[in-house]
């Protein structure tokens, strides 16, 4: 059985390579139909990490944000053309906008409208635990980031939203796919 997945990528470099690898693995294993929607910053960061070409080869149906409604992802979500929307990885900017109900970007608008239409939304925010994280830079160096309270509070707001599930790690996508397949049978 095949799932139709709308995958949003924001300008978050943390877990970007892992997210791409997991999505490639699951798509190959199950032949899912995945369309990728890049925020403006998502396209920039993919190129910065030198992953843009790999993404386009693996997922030829990749679209870049021109406005909150271009490409018209919202319409396709509302028409039921996707089984779910996943935003992975997500910046704190996108998380904050969704938490505050701001729908002024392609992916914050898609999340808001999908929730209204009862289309499941899954999001993996890289900034979701207090303390420090170590991330990989495109040049291979490590960078230590300290999480801000405002970012953690926004993720906590998302956890309370009906129709939206906050993922703790990109690996959780495996269980999400299994759950979605079980619901289709």
């Amino acid at each position: 059985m095949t799932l139709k997945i709308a995958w949003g990528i924001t300008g978050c470099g943390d877990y970007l390579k892992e997210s791409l690898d997991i999505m490639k693995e699951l798509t190959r294993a199950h032949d899912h139909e995945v369309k990728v929607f890049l925020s403006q910053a998502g396209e920039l960061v993919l190129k910065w990490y030198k992953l843009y070409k790999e993404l386009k080869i693996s997922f030829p149906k990749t679209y870049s944000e021109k406005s909150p409604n271009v490409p018209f992802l919202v319409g396709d979500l509302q028409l039921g053309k996707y089984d779910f929307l996943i935003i992975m990885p997500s910046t704190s900017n996108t998380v904050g906008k969704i938490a505050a109900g701001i729908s002024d970007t392609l992916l914050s608008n898609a999340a808001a409208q999908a929730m209204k239409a009862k289309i499941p939304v899954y999001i993996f925010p890289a900034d979701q635990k207090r303390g420090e994280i170590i991330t990989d830079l495109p040049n291979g160096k490590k960078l230590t980031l300290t999480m801000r309270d405002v970012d953690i509070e926004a993720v906590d707001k998302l956890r309370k939203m009906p129709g939206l599930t906050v993922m703790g790690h990109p690996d959780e996508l495996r269980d999400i796919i299994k759950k979605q397949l079980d619901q289709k049978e």
Side-chain angles (χ1 to χ4, degrees), residues 40-83:
Q40 291 174 352
E43 182 176 339
L44 176 76
V45 170
L46 277 159
K47 289 176 179 175
W48 195 49
Y49 277 83
K50 296 179 179 37
L51 294 171
Y52 184 75
K53 188 183 284 186
E54 179 182 344
L55 175 80
K56 292 284 283 184
I57 290 168
S58 300
F59 300 96
K61 295 180 181 178
T62 296
Y63 307 92
S64 296
E65 175 181 26
K66 305 290 184 247
S67 78
N69 279 315
V70 179
F72 198 46
L73 172 58
V74 167
D76 287 345
L77 284 164
Q78 291 174 336
L79 289 172
K81 291 186 178 183
Y82 297 102
D83 293 298

Side-chain angles (χ1 to χ4, degrees), residues 110-125:
Q113 298 307 315
M115 287 186 285
K116 289 178 185 180
K118 299 192 181 339
I119 304 297
V121 177
Y122 300 92
I123 188 166
F124 170 66

Side-chain angles (χ1 to χ4, degrees), residues 13-22 24 49 51 54 89:
D14 200 23
Y15 288 96
L16 183 58
K17 176 69 170 144
E18 294 89 340
S19 297
L20 177 57
D21 289 344
I22 289 167
K24 283 170 39 181
Y49 277 83
L51 294 171
E54 179 182 344

Side-chain angles (χ1 to χ4, degrees), residues 36 55 67 71 80 91 133 137 147 161:
V36 180
L55 175 80
S67 78
T91 59
I133 63 168
L137 295 171
M147 298 304 102
M161 291 184 163

